[in-house]
Amino acid sequence: MNKRTRAGLRLVGVLAMGLAAPLALAAASASQPWMNPKFSPDKRADLLVSKMTQAEKLHMIRSYFGSPGGPKGFPMPKGALGSAGYVPAIPRLGIPALQESDAGMGVANPHGARPGDGATSLPSGLATAATWTPQIAYKGGKMIGHEAWSKGFNILLAGGIDLVRDPRNGRNFEYAGEDPLLAGEMVGSFIKGIQSQHVISTIKHYAVNDQETARTTVSAVISKKAMRESDLLAFEIAIAKGDPGSVMCSYNKVNGDWACENKYLLTDVLKDDWKYPGFVMSDWGGTHSSAKAVNAGLDQESAGEQFDDKEWFDKPLKQDLADGKVSEKRLDDMVHRILRSMFAVGLFEHPPTKQPVNRAADKRVAQHTLEAGAVLLRNEHDTLPLASSTASVAVIGAHADKGVLAGGGSSVVVPWGGNAVPGLKPTEWPGPIMYQRSAPMAAIASIVGKSKVHFAEGDDIAKAVALAKRSKVAVVFAQKWAGESFDWVNLKLDDNQDQLIEAVAKANPNTIVVLETNGPVDMPWLDQVGAVLEAWYPGSGGGPAIANILFGKVNPSGRLPVTWPRSLDQLPRKDLPGAGGHGTPDKSVDYNIEGADVGYRWFIAKDKQPLFSFGYGLSYTQFSHGTPKVAAHGHQVKVTVPVQNTGKRAGADVVQVYVKAPGADAPHLAGFDKVSLKAGASQGVTVSLHPKLLAEFDTASDDWRIAGGDYQVYVGSDAEHLGQPVNVHLAAGKLAP
Ligand code: BGC
């Protein structure tokens, strides 16, 4: 059949569908009134639940592992696509299957379960957070949501937001940093982007899953007040903004109770206080009971047949229903919540449709995210930007001739064409160590010319030094892999990379270090190098993004979403027993040490100077801030700051507004905005402060209250460098809901 005939047939098909659709809808509406999109999601869910048998209800509240293999080695269930989770359709009622895929950086392909399939990877969640631009997070979410939908998925297990309490946490790259406001705003927008594509987003891991060591047994110990003002506040802000269809409860215990059967978390806070209408699914292996979990608020057991001790939501739950330990009403509520989210996000009206994706456009989304989120940490004597006419560039280390490193575990995205550097150990879970196919070397060569760029692997220091000596500029790529299920033992770069950098820096005064890491690492060589760029795990557009920043085609504007400590001694917990398999893990972790003073707030309260503070990041231009003006109407506070680009290049500044409440230990971020300004240009930037960041959580009355008194408002270039405070008086009182 030639192209034209095929196109013609497709047109006839579309026309036929167009005519048939209203008729079909009318017929469906009569016998299946829940199919009427004019009704609210809640009404549709009620109508549907009322027609379901108990068996059908029980069918909806369990998913199966959607890939071949798994811990018990079962074959892939019929109808699954090769992903993390699957709930078969119920054709009698027109309920579509749930096809669930990991996750936060792009569509994962666990163990190559979909041979030959690839996807586009955003850079780390931390890179997205470091853009401080909710619209960029939205675009990234939209891009991965569309890829998911185009591969047949209608749920992405994406929306990681556990706070960074420890730079050793192996999953920090999946999250959005240490500050509840920044994380909440960024992840909320990311979720909105995903769901704009009729794919449910799953905010996770709820809650206080802030380390991987002993993640399935450790109990996070933290007071309710501190939890509400830190980890839970991040979830609260993101959920209010993004409206995710589902929440994934985490593996760990919180104050002694498993998160997936923790009534305080799931019912008292999430469903009652926040009025969350969606459903809670367990993490894979996170369900530990039937009646207790269900009555605490868990709505769906994930892949229990493979990952849990028992299939709790199968026979045990049936028995609990028969014994009256779980009410039919609660079962209806569980199903209602799942269906409600499916209706709200458009899963019935917009079923995923397999189709090719626009790889070039999607890669650009990933690239632009990193261009706005890579953080320039050091730039002595304007080492950067490099001139496009640079005579010779030595590119050294981290397989920069082939690709860029990715974080490991369930979130890993397999690029089209496969791993750029296959075979590195561990090749099994939480490996394989994956490199995205976006080589910085090629991108640099495309700017300066191929003949001027040479590569040396970093493992042979003498060779690298020789290359650096005969080059005008040396760019050392340094890396440290992290992944799900383990934490770093320390922050050291391994494989003699510190020695490599020191040796190259001695050989070439124009040495630049590009870091591909999970976050902060030790930098004993910092004073010896000209420039340092934190590129996180750079994603599918990593190569060009890094090259564009190095050569000034893009002016760096990322700001750290995490504090960069000088050493582990500065942290609330110097030791992390059991990290990386060393030593015996503790049964609990005491987060009351810092409480809600996570990250920079701990550093300020304890008068510790980090290496780089939260909010820090250099630009190729400079900005100045004028005196802020503060206007308060009740508890709504707006701060207007004159911002000027005083340098010679266009660039973007992040206006960070910090507030210190009367009697508080430390100021904290209460609002922010990023503004792009041409050289010499100035603009007044108005930032609305988030009322919850002005208030404190009162556990006696279970609400947020403004203490009342004089609040100090600061505009800072980072959390450590705050300008002169301006006082604003706020009246004491309860926050309006
Ligand atoms: C992870 C989740 C993931 C799930 C499904 C778990 O091990 O903690 O983040 O979504 O697996 O792959």
Side-chain angles (χ1 to χ4, degrees), residues 256-280:
D257 248 349
W258 301 108
C260 289
E261 54 184 46
N262 191 309
K263 180 173 169 293
Y264 176 73
L265 289 178
L266 304 182
T267 297
D268 300 352
V269 177
L270 178 70
K271 293 181 177 176
D272 287 351
D273 193 8
W274 299 346
K275 312 218 168 352
Y276 177 67
F279 69 103
V280 179

PDB file of all heavy atoms in Angstrom, residues 256-280:
ATOM      1  N   GLY A 256       7.724   4.716  64.467  1.00  0.00           N
ATOM      2  CA  GLY A 256       7.431   3.345  64.884  1.00  0.00           C
ATOM      3  C   GLY A 256       6.410   2.596  64.049  1.00  0.00           C
ATOM      4  O   GLY A 256       6.296   1.380  64.162  1.00  0.00           O
ATOM      5  N   ASP A 257       5.653   3.300  63.211  1.00  0.00           N
ATOM      6  CA  ASP A 257       4.619   2.639  62.394  1.00  0.00           C
ATOM      7  C   ASP A 257       5.020   2.688  60.926  1.00  0.00           C
ATOM      8  O   ASP A 257       5.404   3.752  60.429  1.00  0.00           O
ATOM      9  CB  ASP A 257       3.298   3.412  62.533  1.00  0.00           C
ATOM     10  CG  ASP A 257       2.261   2.617  63.273  1.00  0.00           C
ATOM     11  OD1 ASP A 257       2.472   1.409  63.490  1.00  0.00           O
ATOM     12  OD2 ASP A 257       1.226   3.220  63.622  1.00  0.00           O
ATOM     13  N   TRP A 258       4.866   1.573  60.199  1.00  0.00           N
ATOM     14  CA  TRP A 258       5.174   1.599  58.761  1.00  0.00           C
ATOM     15  C   TRP A 258       4.411   2.744  58.098  1.00  0.00           C
ATOM     16  O   TRP A 258       3.225   2.952  58.393  1.00  0.00           O
ATOM     17  CB  TRP A 258       4.729   0.301  58.077  1.00  0.00           C
ATOM     18  CG  TRP A 258       5.333  -0.946  58.616  1.00  0.00           C
ATOM     19  CD1 TRP A 258       4.694  -1.894  59.358  1.00  0.00           C
ATOM     20  CD2 TRP A 258       6.677  -1.408  58.445  1.00  0.00           C
ATOM     21  NE1 TRP A 258       5.562  -2.906  59.660  1.00  0.00           N
ATOM     22  CE2 TRP A 258       6.780  -2.640  59.112  1.00  0.00           C
ATOM     23  CE3 TRP A 258       7.798  -0.887  57.781  1.00  0.00           C
ATOM     24  CZ2 TRP A 258       7.958  -3.367  59.146  1.00  0.00           C
ATOM     25  CZ3 TRP A 258       8.969  -1.616  57.812  1.00  0.00           C
ATOM     26  CH2 TRP A 258       9.047  -2.835  58.486  1.00  0.00           C
ATOM     27  N   ALA A 259       5.066   3.419  57.192  1.00  0.00           N
ATOM     28  CA  ALA A 259       4.415   4.554  56.516  1.00  0.00           C
ATOM     29  C   ALA A 259       3.135   4.122  55.805  1.00  0.00           C
ATOM     30  O   ALA A 259       2.172   4.885  55.732  1.00  0.00           O
ATOM     31  CB  ALA A 259       5.376   5.192  55.521  1.00  0.00           C
ATOM     32  N   CYS A 260       3.102   2.867  55.295  1.00  0.00           N
ATOM     33  CA  CYS A 260       1.926   2.419  54.541  1.00  0.00           C
ATOM     34  C   CYS A 260       0.808   1.886  55.445  1.00  0.00           C
ATOM     35  O   CYS A 260      -0.187   1.353  54.946  1.00  0.00           O
ATOM     36  CB  CYS A 260       2.315   1.391  53.482  1.00  0.00           C
ATOM     37  SG  CYS A 260       3.236   2.115  52.116  1.00  0.00           S
ATOM     38  N   GLU A 261       0.987   1.989  56.744  1.00  0.00           N
ATOM     39  CA  GLU A 261      -0.133   1.676  57.647  1.00  0.00           C
ATOM     40  C   GLU A 261      -0.114   2.664  58.805  1.00  0.00           C
ATOM     41  O   GLU A 261      -0.480   2.334  59.923  1.00  0.00           O
ATOM     42  CB  GLU A 261      -0.067   0.223  58.138  1.00  0.00           C
ATOM     43  CG  GLU A 261       1.248  -0.176  58.777  1.00  0.00           C
ATOM     44  CD  GLU A 261       1.291  -1.659  59.165  1.00  0.00           C
ATOM     45  OE1 GLU A 261       0.903  -2.514  58.340  1.00  0.00           O
ATOM     46  OE2 GLU A 261       1.702  -1.936  60.302  1.00  0.00           O
ATOM     47  N   ASN A 262       0.279   3.892  58.461  1.00  0.00           N
ATOM     48  CA  ASN A 262       0.435   4.933  59.464  1.00  0.00           C
ATOM     49  C   ASN A 262      -0.773   5.872  59.379  1.00  0.00           C
ATOM     50  O   ASN A 262      -0.879   6.692  58.474  1.00  0.00           O
ATOM     51  CB  ASN A 262       1.751   5.674  59.156  1.00  0.00           C
ATOM     52  CG  ASN A 262       2.165   6.596  60.251  1.00  0.00           C
ATOM     53  OD1 ASN A 262       1.381   7.409  60.712  1.00  0.00           O
ATOM     54  ND2 ASN A 262       3.417   6.465  60.670  1.00  0.00           N
ATOM     55  N   LYS A 263      -1.661   5.719  60.337  1.00  0.00           N
ATOM     56  CA  LYS A 263      -2.920   6.474  60.289  1.00  0.00           C
ATOM     57  C   LYS A 263      -2.673   7.975  60.358  1.00  0.00           C
ATOM     58  O   LYS A 263      -3.357   8.757  59.688  1.00  0.00           O
ATOM     59  CB  LYS A 263      -3.833   6.020  61.434  1.00  0.00           C
ATOM     60  CG  LYS A 263      -5.155   6.750  61.460  1.00  0.00           C
ATOM     61  CD  LYS A 263      -6.105   6.159  62.488  1.00  0.00           C
ATOM     62  CE  LYS A 263      -7.305   7.069  62.692  1.00  0.00           C
ATOM     63  NZ  LYS A 263      -6.989   8.346  63.323  1.00  0.00           N
ATOM     64  N   TYR A 264      -1.699   8.370  61.150  1.00  0.00           N
ATOM     65  CA  TYR A 264      -1.432   9.812  61.254  1.00  0.00           C
ATOM     66  C   TYR A 264      -1.096  10.375  59.868  1.00  0.00           C
ATOM     67  O   TYR A 264      -1.658  11.375  59.433  1.00  0.00           O
ATOM     68  CB  TYR A 264      -0.282  10.083  62.239  1.00  0.00           C
ATOM     69  CG  TYR A 264       0.080  11.544  62.288  1.00  0.00           C
ATOM     70  CD1 TYR A 264      -0.769  12.459  62.911  1.00  0.00           C
ATOM     71  CD2 TYR A 264       1.249  12.020  61.686  1.00  0.00           C
ATOM     72  CE1 TYR A 264      -0.466  13.822  62.928  1.00  0.00           C
ATOM     73  CE2 TYR A 264       1.559  13.376  61.708  1.00  0.00           C
ATOM     74  CZ  TYR A 264       0.702  14.271  62.326  1.00  0.00           C
ATOM     75  OH  TYR A 264       1.000  15.615  62.336  1.00  0.00           O
ATOM     76  N   LEU A 265      -0.190   9.688  59.156  1.00  0.00           N
ATOM     77  CA  LEU A 265       0.225  10.197  57.842  1.00  0.00           C
ATOM     78  C   LEU A 265      -0.895  10.111  56.812  1.00  0.00           C
ATOM     79  O   LEU A 265      -1.189  11.069  56.099  1.00  0.00           O
ATOM     80  CB  LEU A 265       1.420   9.392  57.312  1.00  0.00           C
ATOM     81  CG  LEU A 265       2.777   9.575  57.980  1.00  0.00           C
ATOM     82  CD1 LEU A 265       3.800   8.656  57.323  1.00  0.00           C
ATOM     83  CD2 LEU A 265       3.239  11.026  57.891  1.00  0.00           C
ATOM     84  N   LEU A 266      -1.497   8.919  56.722  1.00  0.00           N
ATOM     85  CA  LEU A 266      -2.390   8.662  55.582  1.00  0.00           C
ATOM     86  C   LEU A 266      -3.784   9.250  55.774  1.00  0.00           C
ATOM     87  O   LEU A 266      -4.366   9.774  54.819  1.00  0.00           O
ATOM     88  CB  LEU A 266      -2.496   7.158  55.318  1.00  0.00           C
ATOM     89  CG  LEU A 266      -1.175   6.411  55.079  1.00  0.00           C
ATOM     90  CD1 LEU A 266      -1.433   4.941  54.779  1.00  0.00           C
ATOM     91  CD2 LEU A 266      -0.382   7.044  53.933  1.00  0.00           C
ATOM     92  N   THR A 267      -4.291   9.158  56.979  1.00  0.00           N
ATOM     93  CA  THR A 267      -5.663   9.643  57.180  1.00  0.00           C
ATOM     94  C   THR A 267      -5.690  11.003  57.861  1.00  0.00           C
ATOM     95  O   THR A 267      -6.261  11.958  57.320  1.00  0.00           O
ATOM     96  CB  THR A 267      -6.481   8.604  57.978  1.00  0.00           C
ATOM     97  OG1 THR A 267      -6.542   7.417  57.192  1.00  0.00           O
ATOM     98  CG2 THR A 267      -7.893   9.098  58.249  1.00  0.00           C
ATOM     99  N   ASP A 268      -5.068  11.106  59.033  1.00  0.00           N
ATOM    100  CA  ASP A 268      -5.209  12.362  59.785  1.00  0.00           C
ATOM    101  C   ASP A 268      -4.677  13.550  58.986  1.00  0.00           C
ATOM    102  O   ASP A 268      -5.344  14.575  58.878  1.00  0.00           O
ATOM    103  CB  ASP A 268      -4.453  12.284  61.122  1.00  0.00           C
ATOM    104  CG  ASP A 268      -4.986  11.164  62.004  1.00  0.00           C
ATOM    105  OD1 ASP A 268      -6.017  10.564  61.633  1.00  0.00           O
ATOM    106  OD2 ASP A 268      -4.371  10.881  63.053  1.00  0.00           O
ATOM    107  N   VAL A 269      -3.479  13.386  58.412  1.00  0.00           N
ATOM    108  CA  VAL A 269      -2.881  14.520  57.706  1.00  0.00           C
ATOM    109  C   VAL A 269      -3.354  14.571  56.250  1.00  0.00           C
ATOM    110  O   VAL A 269      -3.986  15.530  55.816  1.00  0.00           O
ATOM    111  CB  VAL A 269      -1.333  14.462  57.769  1.00  0.00           C
ATOM    112  CG1 VAL A 269      -0.731  15.608  56.959  1.00  0.00           C
ATOM    113  CG2 VAL A 269      -0.851  14.528  59.217  1.00  0.00           C
ATOM    114  N   LEU A 270      -3.035  13.509  55.503  1.00  0.00           N
ATOM    115  CA  LEU A 270      -3.251  13.554  54.045  1.00  0.00           C
ATOM    116  C   LEU A 270      -4.742  13.684  53.680  1.00  0.00           C
ATOM    117  O   LEU A 270      -5.135  14.569  52.923  1.00  0.00           O
ATOM    118  CB  LEU A 270      -2.663  12.287  53.407  1.00  0.00           C
ATOM    119  CG  LEU A 270      -2.834  12.141  51.905  1.00  0.00           C
ATOM    120  CD1 LEU A 270      -1.966  13.147  51.158  1.00  0.00           C
ATOM    121  CD2 LEU A 270      -2.467  10.726  51.436  1.00  0.00           C
ATOM    122  N   LYS A 271      -5.547  12.774  54.218  1.00  0.00           N
ATOM    123  CA  LYS A 271      -6.937  12.743  53.745  1.00  0.00           C
ATOM    124  C   LYS A 271      -7.856  13.678  54.530  1.00  0.00           C
ATOM    125  O   LYS A 271      -8.748  14.288  53.951  1.00  0.00           O
ATOM    126  CB  LYS A 271      -7.466  11.314  53.793  1.00  0.00           C
ATOM    127  CG  LYS A 271      -6.758  10.413  52.777  1.00  0.00           C
ATOM    128  CD  LYS A 271      -7.283   9.002  52.790  1.00  0.00           C
ATOM    129  CE  LYS A 271      -6.594   8.163  51.719  1.00  0.00           C
ATOM    130  NZ  LYS A 271      -7.023   6.754  51.783  1.00  0.00           N
ATOM    131  N   ASP A 272      -7.617  13.782  55.861  1.00  0.00           N
ATOM    132  CA  ASP A 272      -8.525  14.640  56.630  1.00  0.00           C
ATOM    133  C   ASP A 272      -8.089  16.100  56.590  1.00  0.00           C
ATOM    134  O   ASP A 272      -8.853  16.968  56.197  1.00  0.00           O
ATOM    135  CB  ASP A 272      -8.610  14.160  58.087  1.00  0.00           C
ATOM    136  CG  ASP A 272      -9.412  12.866  58.193  1.00  0.00           C
ATOM    137  OD1 ASP A 272     -10.022  12.472  57.173  1.00  0.00           O
ATOM    138  OD2 ASP A 272      -9.425  12.249  59.274  1.00  0.00           O
ATOM    139  N   ASP A 273      -6.845  16.336  56.950  1.00  0.00           N
ATOM    140  CA  ASP A 273      -6.426  17.733  57.027  1.00  0.00           C
ATOM    141  C   ASP A 273      -6.254  18.349  55.642  1.00  0.00           C
ATOM    142  O   ASP A 273      -6.763  19.439  55.367  1.00  0.00           O
ATOM    143  CB  ASP A 273      -5.135  17.829  57.849  1.00  0.00           C
ATOM    144  CG  ASP A 273      -4.837  19.269  58.223  1.00  0.00           C
ATOM    145  OD1 ASP A 273      -5.705  20.127  57.971  1.00  0.00           O
ATOM    146  OD2 ASP A 273      -3.749  19.552  58.741  1.00  0.00           O
ATOM    147  N   TRP A 274      -5.548  17.663  54.755  1.00  0.00           N
ATOM    148  CA  TRP A 274      -5.318  18.233  53.422  1.00  0.00           C
ATOM    149  C   TRP A 274      -6.477  17.964  52.462  1.00  0.00           C
ATOM    150  O   TRP A 274      -6.461  18.419  51.333  1.00  0.00           O
ATOM    151  CB  TRP A 274      -4.021  17.668  52.810  1.00  0.00           C
ATOM    152  CG  TRP A 274      -2.787  17.966  53.596  1.00  0.00           C
ATOM    153  CD1 TRP A 274      -2.647  18.877  54.614  1.00  0.00           C
ATOM    154  CD2 TRP A 274      -1.503  17.342  53.437  1.00  0.00           C
ATOM    155  NE1 TRP A 274      -1.358  18.847  55.094  1.00  0.00           N
ATOM    156  CE2 TRP A 274      -0.628  17.926  54.396  1.00  0.00           C
ATOM    157  CE3 TRP A 274      -1.001  16.357  52.597  1.00  0.00           C
ATOM    158  CZ2 TRP A 274       0.709  17.539  54.520  1.00  0.00           C
ATOM    159  CZ3 TRP A 274       0.331  15.971  52.714  1.00  0.00           C
ATOM    160  CH2 TRP A 274       1.174  16.558  53.670  1.00  0.00           C
ATOM    161  N   LYS A 275      -7.415  17.151  52.891  1.00  0.00           N
ATOM    162  CA  LYS A 275      -8.591  16.811  52.072  1.00  0.00           C
ATOM    163  C   LYS A 275      -8.168  16.215  50.723  1.00  0.00           C
ATOM    164  O   LYS A 275      -8.747  16.514  49.672  1.00  0.00           O
ATOM    165  CB  LYS A 275      -9.480  18.038  51.851  1.00  0.00           C
ATOM    166  CG  LYS A 275      -9.753  18.803  53.137  1.00  0.00           C
ATOM    167  CD  LYS A 275     -11.143  19.345  53.223  1.00  0.00           C
ATOM    168  CE  LYS A 275     -11.540  19.873  54.594  1.00  0.00           C
ATOM    169  NZ  LYS A 275     -10.658  19.671  55.729  1.00  0.00           N
ATOM    170  N   TYR A 276      -7.178  15.376  50.762  1.00  0.00           N
ATOM    171  CA  TYR A 276      -6.680  14.772  49.529  1.00  0.00           C
ATOM    172  C   TYR A 276      -7.713  13.786  48.968  1.00  0.00           C
ATOM    173  O   TYR A 276      -8.107  12.841  49.652  1.00  0.00           O
ATOM    174  CB  TYR A 276      -5.347  14.058  49.812  1.00  0.00           C
ATOM    175  CG  TYR A 276      -4.798  13.350  48.603  1.00  0.00           C
ATOM    176  CD1 TYR A 276      -4.364  14.083  47.502  1.00  0.00           C
ATOM    177  CD2 TYR A 276      -4.746  11.965  48.544  1.00  0.00           C
ATOM    178  CE1 TYR A 276      -3.887  13.439  46.374  1.00  0.00           C
ATOM    179  CE2 TYR A 276      -4.263  11.320  47.419  1.00  0.00           C
ATOM    180  CZ  TYR A 276      -3.842  12.070  46.337  1.00  0.00           C
ATOM    181  OH  TYR A 276      -3.371  11.432  45.219  1.00  0.00           O
ATOM    182  N   PRO A 277      -8.154  13.983  47.732  1.00  0.00           N
ATOM    183  CA  PRO A 277      -9.218  13.124  47.205  1.00  0.00           C
ATOM    184  C   PRO A 277      -8.724  11.902  46.422  1.00  0.00           C
ATOM    185  O   PRO A 277      -9.505  11.046  46.032  1.00  0.00           O
ATOM    186  CB  PRO A 277      -9.959  14.073  46.253  1.00  0.00           C
ATOM    187  CG  PRO A 277      -8.881  14.997  45.744  1.00  0.00           C
ATOM    188  CD  PRO A 277      -7.846  15.108  46.830  1.00  0.00           C
ATOM    189  N   GLY A 278      -7.411  11.840  46.141  1.00  0.00           N
ATOM    190  CA  GLY A 278      -6.873  10.763  45.306  1.00  0.00           C
ATOM    191  C   GLY A 278      -6.593   9.512  46.116  1.00  0.00           C
ATOM    192  O   GLY A 278      -7.098   9.337  47.226  1.00  0.00           O
ATOM    193  N   PHE A 279      -5.764   8.609  45.559  1.00  0.00           N
ATOM    194  CA  PHE A 279      -5.532   7.327  46.238  1.00  0.00           C
ATOM    195  C   PHE A 279      -4.069   7.147  46.632  1.00  0.00           C
ATOM    196  O   PHE A 279      -3.167   7.733  46.030  1.00  0.00           O
ATOM    197  CB  PHE A 279      -6.020   6.155  45.393  1.00  0.00           C
ATOM    198  CG  PHE A 279      -5.242   5.861  44.130  1.00  0.00           C
ATOM    199  CD1 PHE A 279      -4.341   4.789  44.077  1.00  0.00           C
ATOM    200  CD2 PHE A 279      -5.428   6.612  42.977  1.00  0.00           C
ATOM    201  CE1 PHE A 279      -3.643   4.482  42.908  1.00  0.00           C
ATOM    202  CE2 PHE A 279      -4.732   6.319  41.809  1.00  0.00           C
ATOM    203  CZ  PHE A 279      -3.841   5.262  41.768  1.00  0.00           C
ATOM    204  N   VAL A 280      -3.898   6.332  47.660  1.00  0.00           N
ATOM    205  CA  VAL A 280      -2.563   6.020  48.162  1.00  0.00           C
ATOM    206  C   VAL A 280      -2.200   4.615  47.710  1.00  0.00           C
ATOM    207  O   VAL A 280      -2.942   3.655  47.985  1.00  0.00           O
ATOM    208  CB  VAL A 280      -2.522   6.076  49.705  1.00  0.00           C
ATOM    209  CG1 VAL A 280      -1.128   5.715  50.212  1.00  0.00           C
ATOM    210  CG2 VAL A 280      -2.931   7.449  50.216  1.00  0.00           C
TER     211      VAL A 280
END
